Every structure is written in structure tokens, then in C-alpha cells.
Amino acid sequence: MPQLIPHALPERTLRALLRRYGAGDPLCCEPLSQGLLNDGYRVVTTRGRFFLKHHLDKPHLDGDPAAPAGLARIERQHRATARLGALGIPVVPPVPDPEGRTVTVLNGRCYALHPWLEGRHRYGSELAAGECRQLGALLGQVHTRLTQVIPPLPAPPPSSADPAATEVLIDELLDRLRARRARACYDAFDTLAEHRLLERRVLLRRYAAFRPPAALAPSAGWVHGDFHPLNLLYPVTAPGRAPLAILDWDRLAVLPRAEETVRGAAIFFVRADGTLDLPRVRCFARAYRRTASVGAEELSAAVHRVWWERLNDFWMLRWRYQLGDRRTDGQFPATAALAVWWCREYEAVRSAFCD
């Protein structure tokens, strides 16, 4: 994963935030180097240790978090995590101020303060079979409990990526790559990107008839929305223990639950060469199905839809070439290779999730 250094946090802002929450005087504020969508700081004060989260303005994702709609969304996330914690889901709810509010806007920027939890992130290759089952069961519990703590909302209409639109995007990205070659700034990443774009165009034409119809969409419900290794915290020691906390509920939304399961497994258990560790996937998926009472047919539909989504997805290249944001470059080689491998091993992948 790319190592990121958050923006500097002015001391005046830090002191104002800590006063707001009655969290003491600052002794140390350390920027954290992991994360993609927000800035984070480890703060030590005269009253303890905290994680300070700066919700960044992400126009290409959620928009301005300090706007009324953004504040309402973050506050809903905070209420949901507090209720999930009361039901036994491992979370780290935010610290409330004396009036019970958990979001602060200072100088147009949006912040929340959480207790600090000492732990580490673990990737799927580090998890034994029992821990993979534990992880799948945890996600099943999250989906089950979310239905109890947040009122249901209508699900967005089911859809699937349009391969014709994807072809247009491929052509645009290839044009940008050719422009880089003309400017003599073409590098090894560009070579790989061009190869994958041309390869994917061939695959899209080959599998165009397999675009999933809307009728295949699995049932929707509230989901975490971003279930991956950097959003789970494990104990530093004592291997085999359950995760200490599920972090970063920024993407909490009503979406097909089984699709989050497939998508999460494809991140946790992808190898560096772009293949999936199918034995671990099987352990994870069986535990999820048992805990969330999800049938094989629903999960099979989710596998098909996530496969199609991956086949049409170039968000990492869009960030690099359209937005000038290279923070996801390190993830691209394995992710792009996975889409190709998944086409070859479609039945084996489906079996790992569903049998």
C-alpha cells in the first residue's frame, strides 16, 4: 500500500479540538502514514491517547464533509458505530463533546476524535484457516447487526457496467498514455497500464454477452462499504485472536451485501501475482454464509456481478491519469492481474464462494 503523509495540522487547530472534547493538552501529534481517503493523527495528551481524523473534501467521491449533507452522513456513521458497539461488534466510536456531538468543523474542515487503540493490520496471507472463518463470520455479524441499528432505506436501482462506456474510457486513457509518450515522460507504470488496457478491451469484447442483468442483483442492505485489511485492526500480539476493531465507516451505505463479501475477499486474499488464495476464500465465505444466512445462489450472483465490475473497472488509472492522483499506483499491478486471472478461473472462484 502507498505510504501517505497527512497534511500538517496547525497547533491552534489541535488545541481548539482538544478543548472542544475536554481531551487535555497536547503532548505529541504524529501524522499517520496509512490511509487513502482521509488524514489521521496519533495524538497524546495529558488525558490519554487519541486518533484524530480529518475528513477530507473528496469531490470525486463524497463531496464536502463539512457541508450539511456531509455532516449528516458522518453523524449517521457515528451513531451506527456506537449502536454496533453496544451489540458486541468491535468498533471505536468517536468521543462526544459535552453536548453529545461527535463532529467538529473548524475553518471549513471536518474532524472527529476517537480513542486510540493499539493494534496492527493483517493481510489475508497472514491469516490461518480459523482466522479466515473468524473474519467471514465477523462480516456476517456486521451485516446482520446493521439491519438492527439503522432504519432501512431504499436500495439504489441495480445496474451493471456498460462495456460500451468502458471502451470509451479505455480509448481516453490510451490517448493520455500516448500523449505521455510524445512528451518523453513514459515510464514502466505506463507500459503496464497500456498493456492492461489493451488486454482488457479484448476481454470485454469476448465476454460482452455475460453482462449481468439487473434481475441477478443480490438483496441489498446496510454495509460497511470499505471492508479491507487497512480498515481492520488486530492485536499486536496473540495471533489467532479476533480483530480489535473495524475502522473507517465512511462508506456506510445501502448496497448488495453479498457483493461486499466478494469484494472484501478479493482484497484480503489477493496475492501479489494477481491470483486469489481460494482455500482461504472458501473458509471466509462459508463462515459468512452461515452467519448471515446467505444462500449459495445469492453469493453466486454476487460473484458474477463483482467479476463484471472488476472487468470494467479502471478507477486506479482514472485517479492517476485524469485526476493526477498517484496514491493507488502500488495497488494496480495485482488488481489488474486479478481481473484477467478471474476470467480464466471463473468456475473455481465461484466454487470457492458458493460450495
Side-chain angles (χ1 to χ4, degrees), residues 177 187-194 317 320-321 328-330 332-333:
L177 282 162
D187 59 20
F189 186 98
D190 297 327
T191 300
L192 175 63
E194 184 171 13
L317 295 187
R320 176 183 170 98
Y321 296 116
T328 64
D329 285 5
F332 177 73

Side-chain angles (χ1 to χ4, degrees), residues 76 79-80 83 145-153 222 252:
R76 181 174 62 196
R79 289 193 299 271
R83 293 167 183 166
R145 296 300 191 189
L146 279 171
T147 65
Q148 301 173 23
V149 302
I150 313 181
L153 288 179
W222 286 102
L252 181 72

